[in-house]
Amino acid sequence: MRKLTAALLILCCSSTMAIEIRGATSCGNWASSRQSSNPAAGPNQLWMLAYLSGLASALHKDGLKGTSNASIFLIVDDYCRKNPSEYLDDAGNEVFRELLKKNNL
């Protein structure tokens, strides 16, 4: 069952899928908005939380359980610093993978 779940997550969260994601800004924009009191940080953070909640709902996996928003944002910060040309959906996919692994889901 775990192998099937892992395969489904990879299929669902692969950035190579031809699915258009709306509203995702670049990691570069995320990083710059988080470095100062930029008003864009709030909507970007809300977008990320909604995206992760959507993944959790679609996969029926409570990967967000026991995780604070602040810790999620720190994982996204790290991903976006390393991958500034990627988009927030890519960061969200990676965050969700990490949370599933952390929660043994």
Side-chain angles (χ1 to χ4, degrees):
M1 184 65 168
R2 281 196 162 159
K3 288 182 182 180
L4 176 60
T5 301
L8 289 174
L9 180 60
I10 290 168
L11 288 173
C12 171
C13 299
S14 172
S15 61
T16 60
M17 290 180 68
I19 296 173
E20 185 174 336
I21 304 295
R22 301 280 174 113
T25 189
S26 72
C27 274
N29 287 341
W30 167 276
S32 67
S33 73
R34 295 269 295 157
Q35 289 177 359
S36 62
S37 358
N38 187 328
N44 288 341
Q45 291 169 346
L46 288 174
W47 188 95
M48 179 57 67
L49 294 175
Y51 185 77
L52 293 172
S53 296
L55 284 175
S57 178
L59 296 172
H60 302 283
K61 297 286 183 184
D62 193 6
L64 302 176
K65 184 178 181 178
T67 305
S68 71
N69 292 349
S71 65
I72 289 170
F73 301 149
L74 290 175
I75 298 169
V76 176
D77 289 344
D78 185 53
Y79 179 90
C80 285
R81 263 193 305 277
K82 294 175 183 172
N83 304 283
S85 62
E86 297 292 329
Y87 284 84
L88 283 188
D89 57 309
D90 300 311
N93 294 339
E94 183 60 30
V95 167
F96 200 72
R97 278 188 206 85
E98 286 185 33
L99 294 175
L100 289 179
K101 190 174 180 181
K102 175 187 148 206
N103 291 317
N104 295 314
L105 296 174

